[in-house]
Amino acid sequence: MQELLNKYAELKAKSKAFGFAMWMISWDAETEAPHGSMEYRTKQVGVLSSEIYNLRTSKDTIELIYALHEKKDELDQITKKEIIEAKKEVDKIVKIPKDEYIAFQMLISQSSQIWAQAKAKNDFEAFRPTLEKVIAFSKKYTEYLATDTLKGYDILLDDYEPGMTQKEYDAFFDTLRKDLVPFALEVSKSKKRFHDGFLKLHYPREKQKEFVEYLIDVFGFDRNHGVLKESAHPFTSGVSTKDVRFTVKYLEDFFVSSIFAAIHEMGHAIYNQQHDPKLDDTFLGGGASLGIHESQSRFYENVIGRSYAFWQTHYPKLQSIFPEQLGNVTLDDFYQGINRVETSLIRIEADELTYPLHIMLRYEIEKGLINGTIEVKDLPKVWDDLMMKYLGIKAPNFATGVMQDIHWSMGLVGYFPTYALGTAFAGQIHHAMKKDLDIDQLVKDNNIKAINAWMKEKIHQFGALKLPLELIKDATGENFTAQYYVAYLKEKYSNIYK
Amino acid sequence: MQELLNKYAELKAKSKAFGFAMWMISWDAETEAPHGSMEYRTKQVGVLSSEIYNLRTSKDTIELIYALHEKKDELDQITKKEIIEAKKEVDKIVKIPKDEYIAFQMLISQSSQIWAQAKAKNDFEAFRPTLEKVIAFSKKYTEYLATDTLKGYDILLDDYEPGMTQKEYDAFFDTLRKDLVPFALEVSKSKKRFHDGFLKLHYPREKQKEFVEYLIDVFGFDRNHGVLKESAHPFTSGVSTKDVRFTVKYLEDFFVSSIFAAIHEMGHAIYNQQHDPKLDDTFLGGGASLGIHESQSRFYENVIGRSYAFWQTHYPKLQSIFPEQLGNVTLDDFYQGINRVETSLIRIEADELTYPLHIMLRYEIEKGLINGTIEVKDLPKVWDDLMMKYLGIKAPNFATGVMQDIHWSMGLVGYFPTYALGTAFAGQIHHAMKKDLDIDQLVKDNNIKAINAWMKEKIHQFGALKLPLELIKDATGENFTAQYYVAYLKEKYSNIYK
């Protein structure tokens, strides 16, 4: 046994080190690598991926994982969980031909730069061949990994959120459709007048940056173990509790979007920073699942960031940075403005209420792409049709339509639905937290650290030690339900639109 | 033979990929990694170094290199040169015990951060234990690698500049001492009055940045294959012709330093960008030697950047960015101010004439540290004594004295002398270029690209295909001599100080 564990420790150290290198290269590629360096970098990424693949799929590794899995009940809690997950990965990865795996790694190491360039030029055709390759690989992936119980799009969905398949998501979206959508659409058609002209003013990048730097301290993101930077699309990327990085994109003509995106990413980042540090040397860092991760980002962004209590304390600071734009805007007008419900084109700029509609659209598209009822070349038209159907609006160009998101260019298919699921998790967490804390008062007192502490105890510390639905149940005392989320939204927006 | 070459291609691809990963991690560590991430990063660097070490020193690799070396005359020019160098490395690396090599890699992956923190606190004692480890390893290194002809400090010197040992450097510095130092000291004592109050004014970081961005286009640094960033100490780091990065440090109270440091780094960077791209997949990128590299940075910084012709064209731009500081400063006053000779504390801020004195000081210290006549704990005193002896001044604190340079903290011992050698190479290159080009006119016409083209043809394209002294001879038609350098300086500064 000790011999097996020694071998496993060595394998783990190598995997972590290679993973660190790939993380570093990817962070650089997303934030500052020069365009002309792509081809050279891709070549190196190909070689490194091949090394990682060899390490993970070597006969020695497979035998080791299976041997440890046989004796899993003799292992400590962390190692046992790792081995259960590792066996799943080994079961999987041996089914994918090596050359296809490497080709895909090389593809996605450059595809998000191709996407960014094509998006900047509003040129779907420049991106199409790349996206076709991503979808083709995703389909082949589901074929290689099909089992008796899981096939097609379900494979991808379960990959991103263990336990969730089309059956569960269809049911989940049906609930939202029934309970939330009518309310959201009613609100979005409200004739209530808002004094929200301030939203459309020009807010210089440097000043926005100043406010985001201020927010970092308000939310307690640990700068000594993190980095803030800019990129084409905001994201968070943590390699351990000691190094968690997130990015913002400053939109000078839509500053609300930049600020809430920054708070959103900080939610992800604080989650990563608050894992038990002993998970740093394991494969269980990085969070329980995408849905749980999104519950954290949405909680910080919406429940805290868009609350009246939050701006009671921090609006004067924002006014002092933007005296010209906000000097004459009252707190109430500001609060209503940032919570205005309006059907809009861009997912990441959508309000809290209509956001799930954007996800439903993507969910249907992905389902069609993987199940073969939609082809990549038809995407622009499909997109327009669904936007019209769900939101009643049409994007004037690809950059604000079908090409707005980075995800597919990164090979992430099956990922979007977790966003909607995460908001529902956040609602349930909020309901549970209210039993322990006076959230509004803490936020008003600029004591978000107390909220962070609750999150750490109930959610953050565990990393991937627990499964998503297990974590939700343990943290809230109930099985997952979307009812608290719907109730929270109805209460909040009924007040604003009363 | 084909089998050997295939194996070699595979080895090379892996080495390049690992090298790329280490380059990326190091670039990140120098420019933006959070302080608290050091320990975790160091652990990963340790594992990766160990992998690289295993790759380079495996029985297979050693046999392969020796086998190819046997048949080196059958190889193409590039592979032959690579194998000659690789054999030297293999000869070397097998002599260093693996655990010591890895411990040293881990040490230097964190030591420059320790140095930066200690320097910020002006705390030599906080840095001393780290520096002691660096020196101890350097000494052991020279013991492991000693040969009949090369031992001690000579081993380090030859590592950084092939063909140069204490004998050659002693002779070189003697020449400078005899021909240049009396002139430099005479000039530095000149009673000539300069209107250079503008040097000490405050120049905001953002404005300096604007001018450096302008300079990037003036000098023709290729942004599509490069990055500019900030760090505690300016440096250049290229991983291929497709990705060359350099940093600046904006000193708000000494902007001249920032600007010339930026031009200096651009000299390094343009050299790397102008290698023959076919060297990207070889071990022959990155330049012929440190001395040759420094000849390029010094040429761009001094011969171009500090010339009258340059500022005839670009001074109006600088004035437009800093109207308050420079609006009333004439071109002549500016030119004289930036070429003012004055003994000073900081090497990278030293003028063109007194610069070599700073190098002589470091050369003597390194010699003493390695040969055992100086101990690290005595460095502050030794530093003060030598500063007084050579420059007649005393640093008020460690940050502007013995702790000013990053090099030793990075394990670079034997590196400094190449700086002085490089300036002499630059003088000889300048003399040769004048036969082909009207340098002043090209600079005045904002046509530095024509100078870049000459450099590419004569120097840059070759990367490490030629040895330093061979390259100088081929480019200039003469064996290396310091006389053109001395003559250039005497002519320039006689004019300024006439």
Side-chain angles (χ1 to χ4, degrees):
Chain A
M1 186 63 161
Q2 192 53 47
E3 198 191 326
L4 289 179
L5 286 175
N6 289 346
K7 273 192 195 169
Y8 182 63
E10 198 188 320
L11 169 70
K12 195 149 82 164
K14 272 194 205 179
S15 289
K16 296 293 282 184
F18 280 122
F20 180 77
M22 292 293 270
W23 171 79
M24 197 79 264
I25 295 166
S26 153
W27 167 257
D28 179 78
E30 296 296 336
T31 58
E32 75 178 43
H35 283 166
S37 69
M38 193 170 70
E39 196 184 323
Y40 183 82
R41 184 177 65 248
T42 301
K43 203 186 293 178
Q44 313 312 321
V45 166
V47 176
L48 292 170
S49 300
S50 172
E51 286 295 299
I52 294 174
Y53 186 90
N54 289 339
L55 182 64
R56 286 200 194 150
T57 61
S58 77
K59 203 166 153 281
D60 284 356
T61 299
I62 293 170
E63 282 173 7
L64 175 64
I65 299 299
Y66 286 149
L68 283 167
H69 195 261
E70 287 277 303
K71 304 183 177 182
K72 64 177 185 293
D73 293 327
E74 300 168 40
L75 301 171
D76 65 85
Q77 184 204 15
I78 286 177
T79 312
K80 181 178 174 182
K81 175 79 177 169
E82 283 186 326
I83 292 299
I84 290 170
E85 295 303 317
K87 181 172 171 294
K88 276 190 206 165
E89 286 306 306
V90 167
D91 280 347
K92 269 183 194 176
I93 213 157
V94 293
K95 295 180 184 173
I96 302 168
K98 183 178 168 182
D99 55 343
E100 290 183 31
Y101 171 83
I102 291 168
F104 185 65
Q105 290 302 317
M106 290 176 73
L107 173 69
I108 61 172
S109 80
Q110 52 186 303
S111 53
S112 61
Q113 236 181 52
I114 293 171
W115 163 79
Q117 284 166 5
K119 181 181 174 185
K121 291 178 192 150
N122 194 45
D123 184 354
F124 181 75
E125 284 304 304
F127 178 48
R128 186 173 57 79
T130 301
L131 183 54
E132 280 172 346
K133 285 181 203 157
V134 168
I135 297 300
F137 179 83
S138 300
K139 283 166 118 170
K140 277 210 238 167
Y141 177 87
T142 66
E143 284 160 22
Y144 290 131
L145 298 179
T147 65
D148 288 347
T149 51
L150 228 50
K151 39 184 63 79
Y153 188 36
D154 285 350
I155 305 243
L156 299 171
L157 291 172
D158 183 75
D159 259 5
Y160 290 104
E161 197 72 22
M164 296 297 292
T165 65
Q166 287 171 83
K167 190 177 157 221
E168 287 79 12
Y169 274 118
D170 283 347
F172 171 66
F173 284 118
D174 282 348
T175 304
L176 293 192
R177 231 176 244 124
K178 188 164 59 82
D179 285 355
L180 189 63
V181 172
F183 176 77
L185 291 181
E186 186 193 323
V187 165
S188 76
K189 283 174 195 146
S190 158
K191 295 279 185 290
K192 175 158 180 172
R193 291 188 59 186
F194 284 76
H195 303 285
D196 61 359
F198 70 89
L199 290 173
K200 304 279 168 69
L201 299 177
H202 184 83
Y203 294 76
R205 180 182 156 280
E206 285 302 318
K207 294 280 178 187
Q208 291 193 36
K209 210 171 156 183
E210 186 186 336
F211 188 64
V212 168
E213 294 287 344
Y214 166 83
L215 288 179
I216 282 182
D217 296 323
V218 168
F219 280 90
F221 172 78
D222 177 0
R223 291 171 191 272
N224 194 38
H225 298 104
V227 171
L228 163 66
K229 214 167 160 187
E230 294 177 48
S231 68
H233 183 106
F235 70 95
T236 300
S237 181
V239 77
S240 75
T241 61
K242 303 296 188 289
D243 199 344
V244 179
R245 305 181 180 200
F246 74 100
T247 67
V248 289
K249 178 173 168 59
Y250 297 106
L251 302 168
E252 297 201 311
D253 297 319
F254 196 17
F255 93 108
V256 165
S257 168
S258 324
I259 284 172
F260 288 109
I263 299 176
H264 179 100
E265 297 307 328
M266 258 191 284
H268 287 303
I270 291 167
Y271 180 17
N272 281 353
Q273 287 186 330
Q274 293 206 120
H275 293 334
D276 186 332
K278 74 170 182 275
L279 298 180
D280 284 345
D281 291 326
T282 74
F283 296 119
L284 304 178
S289 69
L290 292 168
I292 297 293
H293 240 300
E294 195 64 10
S295 77
Q296 298 309 298
S297 55
R298 289 282 155 185
F299 184 92
Y300 283 86
E301 175 190 353
N302 290 330
V303 178
I304 301 179
R306 292 187 200 268
S307 70
Y308 193 75
F310 185 79
W311 293 103
Q312 280 182 290
T313 300
H314 302 292
Y315 187 54
K317 173 71 184 179
L318 188 66
Q319 281 183 307
S320 76
I321 293 176
F322 296 110
E324 279 176 42
Q325 296 89 338
L326 298 174
N328 295 318
V329 177
T330 67
L331 171 61
D332 283 16
D333 282 344
F334 180 79
Y335 172 68
Q336 292 186 347
I338 61 170
N339 284 295
R340 176 165 187 173
V341 175
E342 190 172 32
T343 52
S344 64
L345 293 169
I346 309 291
R347 177 182 61 83
I348 60 161
E349 294 171 9
D351 57 72
E352 207 175 350
L353 257 185
T354 60
Y355 186 85
L357 309 184
H358 290 265
I359 300 301
M360 280 161 66
L361 174 152
R362 285 156 178 79
Y363 175 66
E364 288 197 24
I365 287 178
E366 289 186 347
K367 216 162 40 162
L369 285 170
I370 300 303
N371 295 342
T373 58
I374 299 174
E375 287 188 52
V376 170
K377 71 174 167 53
D378 300 324
L379 266 193
K381 187 176 175 332
V382 172
W383 186 277
D384 284 350
D385 291 349
L386 286 173
M387 275 304 276
M388 193 50 76
K389 183 173 157 192
Y390 287 139
L391 291 137
I393 49 180
K394 184 176 183 303
N397 53 45
F398 300 131
T400 59
V402 67
M403 290 176 74
Q404 66 181 261
D405 294 307
I406 198 173
H407 300 63
W408 293 335
S409 81
M410 295 173 79
L412 306 174
V413 180
Y415 185 124
F416 280 121
T418 66
Y419 287 139
L421 185 68
T423 57
F425 285 160
Q428 184 163 344
I429 291 167
H430 178 221
H431 179 78
M433 190 190 285
K434 275 197 294 187
K435 295 177 198 159
D436 296 334
L437 304 178
D438 183 344
I439 301 178
D440 272 359
Q441 192 60 47
L442 289 169
V443 168
K444 215 184 295 176
D445 292 346
N446 196 17
N447 188 4
I448 291 174
K449 288 182 180 71
I451 293 172
N452 292 347
W454 190 96
M455 285 293 199
K456 182 174 184 172
E457 188 201 329
K458 303 281 190 180
I459 310 264
H460 294 183
Q461 62 165 316
F462 300 107
L465 268 174
K466 300 182 180 185
L467 285 169
L469 296 176
E470 182 189 356
L471 189 61
I472 288 295
K473 191 178 176 186
D474 290 351
T476 67
E478 289 183 78
N479 281 322
F480 169 60
T481 161
Q483 65 165 305
Y484 300 115
Y485 168 54
V486 174
Y488 152 81
L489 288 176
K490 284 187 171 171
E491 185 191 343
K492 174 172 174 178
Y493 287 92
S494 297
N495 275 330
I496 292 171
Y497 278 85
K498 73 184 165 203
Chain B
M1 186 64 162
Q2 192 52 47
E3 199 190 325
L4 289 179
L5 287 175
N6 289 347
K7 273 191 194 167
Y8 182 63
E10 199 188 320
L11 170 71
K12 195 149 82 163
K14 272 194 206 179
S15 291
K16 295 292 282 184
F18 280 121
F20 179 77
M22 293 292 270
W23 172 80
M24 197 79 264
I25 294 167
S26 155
W27 167 256
D28 180 79
E30 297 295 336
T31 58
E32 76 178 43
H35 282 166
S37 69
M38 192 170 71
E39 194 184 324
Y40 184 81
R41 185 176 64 248
T42 302
K43 202 186 294 178
Q44 313 313 320
V45 166
V47 177
L48 291 170
S49 301
S50 171
E51 286 294 299
I52 293 174
Y53 186 88
N54 289 339
L55 183 65
R56 285 199 195 149
T57 61
S58 76
K59 205 165 151 280
D60 284 356
T61 298
I62 292 170
E63 282 174 8
L64 175 63
I65 299 299
Y66 286 148
L68 283 167
H69 195 261
E70 287 278 304
K71 303 183 178 182
K72 63 177 185 294
D73 293 327
E74 299 168 41
L75 301 170
D76 65 85
Q77 184 203 14
I78 286 177
T79 312
K80 182 179 173 180
K81 176 77 178 170
E82 282 186 326
I83 293 298
I84 290 170
E85 294 304 317
K87 181 172 172 293
K88 276 190 206 164
E89 285 307 306
V90 167
D91 281 346
K92 269 183 194 176
I93 214 156
V94 293
K95 296 180 183 173
I96 302 169
K98 182 178 168 182
D99 55 343
E100 290 184 31
Y101 171 83
I102 291 168
F104 184 65
Q105 290 302 317
M106 290 176 72
L107 173 69
I108 61 173
S109 80
Q110 51 186 303
S111 52
S112 61
Q113 235 180 55
I114 293 171
W115 163 79
Q117 285 166 6
K119 181 181 173 184
K121 291 178 193 150
N122 193 43
D123 184 355
F124 181 75
E125 283 304 304
F127 178 48
R128 186 174 57 80
T130 302
L131 183 55
E132 280 172 346
K133 285 180 203 156
V134 167
I135 297 301
F137 178 83
S138 300
K139 283 165 117 169
K140 277 211 237 167
Y141 176 87
T142 65
E143 285 159 22
Y144 289 131
L145 297 180
T147 65
D148 289 346
T149 51
L150 228 50
K151 40 181 63 78
Y153 188 37
D154 285 350
I155 305 242
L156 299 172
L157 291 172
D158 183 75
D159 259 6
Y160 290 105
E161 197 72 20
M164 295 297 292
T165 64
Q166 289 171 82
K167 190 177 157 222
E168 287 80 12
Y169 273 118
D170 284 346
F172 171 66
F173 284 117
D174 283 347
T175 304
L176 294 192
R177 231 176 243 123
K178 187 165 58 81
D179 285 356
L180 189 63
V181 172
F183 176 76
L185 291 180
E186 185 194 324
V187 165
S188 75
K189 284 173 195 147
S190 159
K191 295 278 185 290
K192 176 157 180 169
R193 291 188 61 186
F194 284 77
H195 303 285
D196 60 359
F198 69 89
L199 290 173
K200 305 278 167 68
L201 299 178
H202 184 83
Y203 294 76
R205 180 181 156 282
E206 285 301 319
K207 294 282 180 187
Q208 290 193 37
K209 209 170 156 182
E210 186 186 337
F211 189 64
V212 169
E213 294 286 344
Y214 166 82
L215 288 179
I216 281 182
D217 296 323
V218 168
F219 280 90
F221 171 78
D222 177 0
R223 291 172 191 272
N224 195 38
H225 298 105
V227 171
L228 164 66
K229 215 166 160 186
E230 293 177 50
S231 68
H233 183 105
F235 70 95
T236 300
S237 181
V239 76
S240 75
T241 61
K242 302 297 187 288
D243 198 344
V244 179
R245 305 180 180 201
F246 75 100
T247 67
V248 289
K249 178 173 168 60
Y250 297 106
L251 303 168
E252 296 201 312
D253 297 319
F254 196 16
F255 92 108
V256 165
S257 168
S258 324
I259 284 173
F260 288 108
I263 299 176
H264 179 100
E265 297 307 327
M266 258 191 285
H268 287 304
I270 291 167
Y271 181 17
N272 281 353
Q273 287 187 328
Q274 292 206 119
H275 293 335
D276 186 333
K278 74 170 182 276
L279 298 180
D280 283 346
D281 292 325
T282 74
F283 297 118
L284 305 178
S289 70
L290 291 167
I292 298 292
H293 239 300
E294 195 65 9
S295 77
Q296 298 308 299
S297 56
R298 290 281 155 184
F299 184 92
Y300 283 85
E301 176 190 353
N302 290 330
V303 178
I304 301 180
R306 292 187 199 269
S307 70
Y308 193 75
F310 185 80
W311 294 103
Q312 280 182 289
T313 300
H314 302 291
Y315 188 54
K317 173 70 184 181
L318 188 66
Q319 281 182 307
S320 76
I321 293 176
F322 296 110
E324 280 176 42
Q325 295 88 340
L326 297 175
N328 295 318
V329 178
T330 67
L331 172 61
D332 283 17
D333 282 343
F334 180 79
Y335 172 68
Q336 292 187 347
I338 61 170
N339 284 295
R340 176 165 186 173
V341 174
E342 190 172 32
T343 52
S344 64
L345 294 168
I346 309 291
R347 177 183 60 85
I348 61 161
E349 294 171 7
D351 57 72
E352 207 175 351
L353 257 185
T354 59
Y355 185 85
L357 309 184
H358 291 265
I359 300 303
M360 281 162 65
L361 175 152
R362 285 157 179 79
Y363 175 67
E364 289 197 24
I365 287 178
E366 288 187 348
K367 217 164 40 162
L369 285 170
I370 301 302
N371 295 342
T373 58
I374 299 175
E375 287 188 53
V376 170
K377 71 174 167 50
D378 300 324
L379 266 193
K381 186 175 176 331
V382 172
W383 185 277
D384 284 350
D385 291 349
L386 286 174
M387 274 304 276
M388 193 51 76
K389 182 173 156 193
Y390 288 141
L391 290 136
I393 50 181
K394 183 175 184 301
N397 52 45
F398 300 130
T400 58
V402 66
M403 289 176 74
Q404 66 182 262
D405 294 307
I406 198 173
H407 300 65
W408 293 334
S409 82
M410 295 173 80
L412 306 175
V413 180
Y415 185 125
F416 279 121
T418 66
Y419 287 139
L421 186 68
T423 57
F425 285 160
Q428 184 163 342
I429 291 166
H430 179 220
H431 179 78
M433 191 190 284
K434 275 196 295 188
K435 294 177 199 160
D436 296 334
L437 303 178
D438 184 345
I439 301 176
D440 272 359
Q441 193 59 48
L442 289 170
V443 168
K444 213 185 295 176
D445 292 346
N446 196 18
N447 188 5
I448 291 174
K449 288 181 181 71
I451 293 173
N452 293 346
W454 190 97
M455 285 294 200
K456 182 174 183 173
E457 188 201 330
K458 303 282 190 178
I459 311 264
H460 294 182
Q461 62 165 316
F462 299 108
L465 267 174
K466 300 182 181 186
L467 285 168
L469 296 176
E470 181 189 356
L471 189 60
I472 288 295
K473 190 178 177 187
D474 290 351
T476 67
E478 288 184 79
N479 281 322
F480 169 60
T481 162
Q483 65 165 302
Y484 299 116
Y485 167 55
V486 174
Y488 152 80
L489 288 176
K490 284 187 171 169
E491 184 190 342
K492 175 173 175 179
Y493 287 92
S494 298
N495 275 330
I496 292 171
Y497 278 85
K498 72 184 165 200

